[in-house]
């Protein structure tokens, strides 16, 4: 089965919008419920993560509480800009250096693009998250930010690769093929 890749700039933007929309929602859920859920419940005394978020009024960002929807909007904007300026162009260069798209199986080339995108986007978004969610009420320490970034990268990378290969990209590619038959 031949894969259909975005051909025009418009198709690239649509593809990126679909990918970033699904990815941001998955990562916000993953960060809040899986990675930080127990901490949020312990900090607020709530019995569920949703109750903890409700009692605290949202998520700590830039040293203040922000509603979850604002977190999603901000992360969507940042991820979209990064995807269009860094993720997409660099991942295609990496994948085409490893494989010739004309002679490589479309599935193998698609996996190479996905892996390269995760390799570029995950460190970049994790670094942004390290600054966004750093406890700014405390004294700033670049070393702490780097340690926090490393922790985020170690937690996020396996999840990102798994989700992109097995859930997000199959869904996005199916939607893309339906939109651009």
């Amino acid at each position: 089965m031949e894969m259909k890749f975005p051909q025009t700039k418009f198709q690239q933007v649509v593809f990126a919008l679909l990918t970033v929309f699904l990815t941001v929602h998955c990562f916000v859920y993953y960060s809040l419920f899986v990675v930080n859920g127990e901490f949020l419940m312990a900090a607020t005394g709530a019995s569920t993560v949703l109750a903890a978020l409700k009692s605290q009024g949202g998520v700590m960002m830039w040293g203040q509480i922000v509603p979850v929807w604002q977190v999603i909007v901000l992360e969507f904007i940042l991820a979209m800009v990064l995807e269009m300026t860094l993720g997409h162009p660099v991942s295609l260069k990496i994948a085409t250096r490893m494989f010739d798209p004309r002679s490589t199986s479309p599935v193998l080339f698609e996996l190479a693009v996905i892996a390269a995108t995760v390799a570029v986007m995950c460190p970049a978004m994790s670094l942004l998250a390290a600054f966004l969610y750093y406890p700014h009420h405390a004294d700033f320490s670049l070393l702490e930010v780097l340690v926090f970034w490393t922790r985020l990268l170690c937690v996020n990378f396996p999840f990102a690769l798994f989700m992109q290969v097995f859930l997000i990209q199959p869904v996005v590619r199916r939607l893309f093929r339906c939109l651009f038959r």
Side-chain angles (χ1 to χ4, degrees):
M1 178 171 111
E2 186 161 329
M3 298 294 155
K4 180 166 179 153
F5 290 100
Q7 301 297 317
T8 66
K9 189 66 171 172
F10 175 73
Q11 288 179 349
Q12 289 172 359
V13 170
V14 170
F15 192 88
L17 282 168
L18 292 169
T19 299
V20 170
F21 181 82
L22 287 173
T23 302
V24 165
H25 282 82
C26 287
F27 263 92
V28 169
Y29 171 81
Y30 173 70
S31 289
L32 292 177
F33 287 82
V34 178
V35 177
N36 298 311
E38 288 183 28
F39 172 77
L40 287 169
M41 290 187 301
T44 60
S47 59
T48 67
V49 177
L50 283 176
L53 289 169
K54 187 175 182 179
S55 73
Q56 115 176 346
V59 179
M60 181 67 75
M61 180 187 279
W62 290 314
Q64 60 186 359
I65 299 294
V66 212
V68 175
W69 70 267
Q70 286 181 359
V71 171
I72 290 171
V73 168
L74 179 63
E75 286 194 21
F76 176 82
I77 292 167
L78 293 172
M80 191 65 195
V81 168
L82 270 174
E83 173 63 21
M84 294 305 295
T85 60
L86 183 71
H88 178 71
V90 173
S91 66
L92 279 179
K93 281 184 184 174
I94 292 170
T96 53
R97 281 190 185 156
M98 292 172 26
F99 301 102
D100 179 6
R102 294 169 301 216
S103 62
T104 304
S105 158
V107 173
L108 183 59
F109 187 73
E110 177 185 336
L111 284 172
V113 171
I114 292 169
T117 303
V118 170
V120 171
M121 290 295 290
C122 191
M125 286 301 294
S126 294
L127 183 61
L128 284 173
F131 282 101
L132 290 174
Y133 301 109
Y134 183 82
H136 292 280
H137 57 279
D139 292 334
F140 181 81
S141 166
L142 185 59
L143 182 60
E144 280 186 31
V145 170
L146 292 175
V147 168
F148 187 49
W149 174 57
T150 305
R151 178 185 173 275
L152 285 174
L153 193 53
C154 290
V155 170
N156 290 343
F157 192 84
F159 179 75
L161 190 59
F162 179 83
M163 291 299 288
Q164 289 297 329
V165 170
F166 295 107
L167 178 71
I168 294 169
Q169 287 305 310
V171 169
V172 167
R173 290 182 189 284
R174 177 159 286 188
L175 287 171
F176 186 79
R177 279 194 302 270
C178 288
L179 290 172
F180 297 101
R181 265 182 213 265

